[in-house]
Amino acid sequence: MFVDDMTNFDAYKAVGLGRFDEVDKEAAKEVKLTAPELGGFGGWWNYMTNVMAMSPIPDDMKFGEVPEGVLRTGGTFVVKGSDVVYQWSDTVPGDHPDLNDVLKSLEDC
C-alpha cells in the first residue's frame, strides 16, 4: 500500500521509519543480506531498469543529488481494522522480515 506523496515523508515518520544513512552503523552490520535470484543477466537487466523507472526522483533534482526517497527505509505492516498487529521496520534497504513471522501474525488475526 502506498501511503506517502514523497514530498515530506510524514507517513514514514509517523510510523517510525527512518533513513538508512541515519542507522547505527553497528546495527547495520548485523543485517544479513542475500542477493536475490533474478534469472541471470536478463533478470538483472529487468530489475535495474525497473528500479530506475520507479525510483522516487523529483523533476527538479540536479545531477549528483540523492533523492530523499532513495534514503528512506521501508517496513512491513499487518493491519486488522484500526490495529497494527505486526510491524517491521527495515534497518537498511534489502532488510526484510522473516516471511514466517508475517504469516504467523496473519494467523493470529
Side-chain angles (χ1 to χ4, degrees):
M1 174 188 314
F2 181 71
V3 296
D4 211 309
D5 66 1
M6 296 186 304
T7 56
N8 58 22
F9 298 92
D10 286 343
Y12 284 76
K13 296 171 192 171
V15 296
L17 300 175
R19 293 167 38 140
F20 76 86
D21 62 338
E22 299 171 344
V23 171
D24 176 68
K25 290 183 183 2
E26 293 305 313
K29 289 178 184 177
E30 297 298 316
V31 176
K32 305 283 188 277
L33 299 176
T34 58
E37 176 54 51
L38 299 175
F41 179 77
W44 277 100
W45 179 260
N46 288 337
Y47 173 78
M48 292 306 295
T49 55
N50 285 335
V51 165
M52 294 305 294
M54 295 186 304
S55 292
I57 301 172
D59 292 335
D60 61 347
M61 179 71 46
K62 292 181 178 61
F63 181 76
E65 292 180 331
V66 178
E68 174 78 12
V70 171
L71 300 173
R72 291 277 162 195
T73 55
T76 302
F77 299 84
V78 175
V79 179
K80 181 179 181 182
S82 60
D83 296 325
V84 176
V85 296
Y86 178 87
Q87 178 177 350
W88 166 278
S89 299
D90 300 345
T91 304
V92 295
D95 178 26
H96 304 291
D98 183 286
L99 183 57
N100 290 322
D101 292 342
V102 178
L103 295 174
K104 174 79 170 98
S105 73
L106 291 170
E107 291 171 6
D108 295 341
C109 285

